[in-house]
Amino acid sequence: MAEPAEKEPEREPAPAPRKRRPATAREAKALGHPLRLRILRLCLTRELTNRELADRLDTNPGTVLHHVRTLVNAGLLTAAPVRTGSSGALEKPYRATDESWWLDGPLQDLPPEERTAPIVALTDELDEAGPEAVRTYARFALHLNDEEVAELDRRILAVLDEYVAGDDQRLDRPVHGGAFLLYRSPEA
């Protein structure tokens, strides 16, 4: 007599892929400053205290604390568990949530000077990393109507979303930063 087949253990369904959503006014405002964007990037890969951030950004700790509080209030940065520092003092580190990635066009309703915050932050980060850090570069000019721009944006973000969504599976690998920027040429 044949033995009954063992029943496969039930697997939990895979979580639905994350979707982009509109930014709240508070989130958009928080992302409109280059220093806040740099804080988010630094706290994405490791937990840092206000003092560590100030030292890394060569900025006054009071200024950094103001920006940290803005990011915490917007839900883009969260306090990590308090830890004991090397001198024995208690330290309050922060880590970035991944919420800023999943915001759809968070800067579009901000004043022009705030919409360029990511470019300023990227330039500062590249200056800090040095020219040898640049891994890939592509520059292009395309003739696109509004619908084609939207399609290009959708397709590129879909690829990036896939990598971002699975990044927690690759934490043992080197960190790479990047940016995708599409702008209307002044010749247009």
Side-chain angles (χ1 to χ4, degrees), residues 99-133:
E99 289 304 307
S100 63
W101 178 260
W102 299 104
L103 300 177
D104 191 25
L107 303 179
Q108 64 193 12
D109 295 330
L110 293 178
E113 63 276 3
E114 292 179 31
R115 287 195 302 255
T116 61
I119 299 164
V120 174
L122 177 64
T123 303
D124 290 344
E125 290 167 10
L126 287 172
D127 287 345
E128 180 183 352
E132 66 280 353

Side-chain angles (χ1 to χ4, degrees), residues 50-62:
N50 189 68
R51 167 57 69 188
E52 290 169 326
L53 287 165
D55 289 346
R56 181 72 189 270
L57 298 168
D58 194 28
T59 304
N60 177 303

Side-chain angles (χ1 to χ4, degrees), residues 80-102:
V82 173
R83 65 187 185 205
T84 303
S86 59
S87 67
L90 294 181
E91 298 178 337
K92 184 177 182 181
Y94 296 91
R95 70 173 166 262
T97 66
D98 66 350
E99 289 304 307
S100 63
W101 178 260
W102 299 104

Side-chain angles (χ1 to χ4, degrees), residues 2-168:
E3 292 185 30
E6 284 189 37
K7 188 175 180 180
E8 290 272 331
E10 288 189 34
R11 294 184 187 148
E12 290 198 26
R18 289 206 57 188
K19 303 276 187 208
R20 293 179 169 275
R21 64 172 178 78
T24 65
R26 181 177 285 180
E27 290 167 332
K29 183 69 175 162
L31 294 172
H33 194 284
L35 193 57
R36 290 195 282 266
L37 294 173
R38 295 197 63 208
I39 290 168
L40 285 176
R41 186 193 56 80
L42 289 170
C43 290
L44 187 61
T45 56
R46 63 184 276 227
E47 297 170 352
L48 295 168
T49 66
N50 189 68
R51 167 57 69 188
E52 290 169 326
L53 287 165
D55 289 346
R56 181 72 189 270
L57 298 168
D58 194 28
T59 304
N60 177 303
T63 300
V64 171
L65 184 59
H66 164 75
H67 291 296
V68 163
R69 286 180 176 159
T70 300
L71 291 165
V72 168
N73 289 337
L76 303 175
L77 197 66
T78 187
V82 173
R83 65 187 185 205
T84 303
S86 59
S87 67
L90 294 181
E91 298 178 337
K92 184 177 182 181
Y94 296 91
R95 70 173 166 262
T97 66
D98 66 350
E99 289 304 307
S100 63
W101 178 260
W102 299 104
L103 300 177
D104 191 25
L107 303 179
Q108 64 193 12
D109 295 330
L110 293 178
E113 63 276 3
E114 292 179 31
R115 287 195 302 255
T116 61
I119 299 164
V120 174
L122 177 64
T123 303
D124 290 344
E125 290 167 10
L126 287 172
D127 287 345
E128 180 183 352
E132 66 280 353
V134 176
R135 302 295 300 250
T136 304
Y137 171 80
R139 184 155 169 141
F140 54 89
L142 302 171
H143 294 83
L144 305 171
N145 63 30
D146 288 344
E147 292 79 25
E148 292 164 330
V149 167
E151 176 64 9
L152 176 64
D153 186 48
R154 185 197 63 73
R155 290 173 64 187
I156 289 174
L157 287 177
V159 170
L160 293 173
D161 286 351
E162 181 182 332
Y163 276 89
V164 168
D167 198 54
D168 61 338

